[in-house]
Amino acid sequence: MSKTSIYGLTFEQLSAWLLERGHKKGRASQVWEWLYRKRVTTFTDMVDVNLDCLKVLSENFTIQTLTEHTKQESADGTIKFLFALADGDLIETVLMRHKYGLSVCVTTQVGCNIGCSFCASGLLKKDRDLSSGEIVEQIMNVQLHLDEVGKGERVSHIVVMGIGEPFDNFENMVDFLEIVKDQKGLEIGPRHITVSTSGLAQKIYEFADLKLQVNLAISLHAPNNELRTRIMKINRAIPLEKLMPAIDYYIEKSNRRITLEYILLKDVNDQKEHAEELAELIGDRRAYVNLIPYNPVDEHSQYQRSEEKTVLAFYDTLKKNGITCGIRIEHGTDIDAACGQLRSKQMK
């Protein structure tokens, strides 16, 4: 019988699992504290937990399924980890340093089928979904790295923006969110968590109904259907006429502002008329536009980074049209900055 990651269980699931096997209700709290507060890496380290409980846990679960394959460190403090999964597949996880804290970008799938024409993540098609445990373990491995460095730092923010489409792995992604938010464990506040989607409209409705209070970001990247379909094939199935009502539903249901991600591609979607059209599309919605300088990818040589003056002009046009926006601060530009780039190189 293959063992699964114990990190894949929410606190409620762990409690129910142990109760079914005759263990006291408080046992789950003990195990949870050892996992997330004391951050042990073996069950035998849980020295005050009942031996029968440890035995049944170790027979069914494992704590460590990821191993570090490669690690790149940037001059700005960004660290990109390439982790090997138990089956040998590779995934990327990134630690970024901000003024407000330490943020980790996690991967949700091995590969990606969304197929955005500018993205390194989709260079290798989806092999499988990650389990909730494999997603949680990315956070744990980064935190263990910080513990080892010994400066008392902790992961304070999470962005679900790595390889894969999070809403295409919906249930595991939602369990991951419940686990990392749990106040008895990592206690990462929902306002410090952002989930990004390429625009799976039906899942946006479902996500809104869950009322998780985490931030939602939509990968928009174009102000009209013709251009968005050209660079994001998902727009053929879910055009703006379907996506924008889903966004409206999320804003109304959550009473939260939504983030619209917009990668600027030279002479493709970065002109003044594109900015004006984008402003018209957004209208008076509670939205923040995150303008993203493009990280060039060898395999997508048809796309280049917009010039700085073009980026600033695009920003100014949005501002003049009453749109709240900003230009993303770049991280890790001296390493394989584009999401999926390091994995793609290693797979070759």
Side-chain angles (χ1 to χ4, degrees), residues 2-5 62 64-68 83-91 110 128 130-131 134 137:
S2 60
K3 298 179 183 180
T4 58
S5 172
T62 182
Q64 290 184 303
T65 64
L66 273 61
T67 55
E68 188 180 300
F83 291 123
L85 304 171
D87 59 8
D89 279 324
L90 300 174
I91 59 169
V110 180
R128 68 175 176 87
L130 293 187
S131 69
E134 288 170 324
E137 198 174 339

Side-chain angles (χ1 to χ4, degrees), residues 42-241:
T42 67
F43 289 111
T44 54
D45 289 334
M46 300 180 183
V47 293
D48 63 352
V49 179
N50 175 274
L51 290 177
D52 289 338
C53 179
L54 293 179
K55 183 174 184 292
V56 72
L57 286 172
S58 62
E59 287 173 349
N60 289 274
F61 300 104
T62 182
I63 295 180
Q64 290 184 303
T65 64
L66 273 61
T67 55
E68 188 180 300
H69 181 281
T70 306
K71 181 169 65 182
Q72 292 183 335
E73 297 194 43
S74 170
D76 65 15
T78 300
I79 304 177
K80 178 171 275 197
F81 298 87
L82 190 67
F83 291 123
L85 304 171
D87 59 8
D89 279 324
L90 300 174
I91 59 169
E92 287 183 6
T93 308
V94 184
L95 169 67
M96 295 167 287
R97 293 183 176 274
H98 303 274
K99 291 180 180 178
Y100 54 76
L102 299 183
S103 175
V104 174
C105 179
V106 297
T107 283
T108 54
Q109 295 178 314
V110 180
C112 183
N113 281 343
I114 298 301
C116 300
S117 62
F118 51 81
C119 182
S121 293
L123 292 172
L124 299 166
K125 297 305 178 186
K126 174 186 165 182
D127 185 44
R128 68 175 176 87
D129 291 330
L130 293 187
S131 69
S132 52
E134 288 170 324
I135 308 173
V136 173
E137 198 174 339
Q138 294 172 63
I139 300 294
M140 297 309 299
N141 276 20
V142 173
Q143 184 59 60
L144 287 169
H145 164 78
L146 294 172
D147 292 345
E148 190 176 322
V149 172
K151 293 182 179 178
E153 295 178 313
R154 66 180 289 269
V155 175
S156 59
H157 293 68
I158 295 173
V159 288
V160 188
M161 294 183 183
I163 297 169
E165 165 54 66
F167 280 11
D168 189 37
N169 187 13
F170 193 79
E171 290 185 6
N172 288 335
M173 186 270 294
V174 169
D175 277 351
F176 159 77
L177 296 176
E178 294 290 2
I179 292 163
V180 297
K181 289 193 302 127
D182 194 289
Q183 293 184 353
K184 299 177 292 296
L186 292 175
E187 200 178 3
I188 297 175
R191 301 298 174 95
H192 291 178
I193 301 172
T194 301
V195 178
S196 177
T197 176
S198 59
L200 275 62
Q202 187 55 46
K203 294 299 182 182
I204 294 174
Y205 287 109
E206 291 181 37
F207 194 67
D209 288 338
L210 291 175
K211 298 182 179 179
L212 295 174
Q213 291 300 300
V214 304
N215 304 304
L216 180 63
I218 308 292
S219 296
L220 191 64
H221 307 317
N224 60 63
N225 279 324
E226 185 277 326
L227 182 53
R228 194 166 191 263
T229 298
R230 184 161 28 121
I231 63 178
M232 297 178 70
K233 68 179 184 180
I234 191 174
N235 200 69
R236 298 171 195 161
I238 309 174
L240 293 174
E241 290 80 6

Side-chain angles (χ1 to χ4, degrees), residues 307-347:
E307 295 178 7
E308 184 178 359
K309 64 180 181 180
T310 305
V311 174
L312 292 174
F314 198 99
Y315 169 85
D316 286 340
T317 300
L318 289 180
K319 294 289 282 187
K320 287 174 183 175
N321 281 274
I323 302 300
T324 305
C325 59
I327 301 169
R328 178 182 287 180
I329 297 173
E330 296 186 82
H331 296 270
T333 52
D334 55 337
I335 56 179
D336 290 306
C339 181
Q341 206 167 29
L342 177 58
R343 175 175 181 262
S344 177
K345 287 183 178 180
Q346 292 295 319
M347 294 292 282

